[in-house]
Amino acid sequence: GVSSMSQQVNLECRGFNVADFRIPDVSGWQPSGEAIVAGASPQLYTALALPEILGEMHDRGVDCAISTDPGRYICNYIFYSSLHAA
């Protein structure tokens, strides 16, 4: 995940089926509480072995953590869309 407030890399573990942008994206689109995929699960989880990835990254000196909330902006939109398509 990407956050201007974070000082580390965030490994997202789940995405939410909600697009709720507090500001418009670059094309001016600003959904408010819309489903990303109509009728799909409210949240989806990654199949990646995040604890193992986290350990490998720490071993290599990367400051990172597992995140449980990707927010509801573009990071979540892309992540949920990707999980749904997988």
Side-chain angles (χ1 to χ4, degrees), residues 25-36:
D25 68 8
V26 295
S27 67
W29 185 50
Q30 189 174 6
S32 179
E34 296 177 24
I36 295 169

Side-chain angles (χ1 to χ4, degrees), residues 18-84:
V18 178
D20 194 19
F21 297 4
R22 62 180 175 76
I23 58 173
D25 68 8
V26 295
S27 67
W29 185 50
Q30 189 174 6
S32 179
E34 296 177 24
I36 295 169
V37 180
S41 177
Q43 60 186 4
L44 295 173
Y45 290 85
T46 183
L48 296 175
L50 291 184
E52 289 82 359
I53 294 169
L54 180 71
E56 287 290 327
M57 292 180 75
H58 281 163
D59 288 349
R60 293 170 179 13
V62 178
D63 187 16
C64 59
I66 294 174
S67 168
T68 59
D69 190 348
R72 301 301 177 274
Y73 193 46
I74 293 174
C75 287
N76 177 66
Y77 190 93
I78 292 169
F79 191 48
Y80 185 89
S81 298
S82 299
L83 291 171
H84 185 266

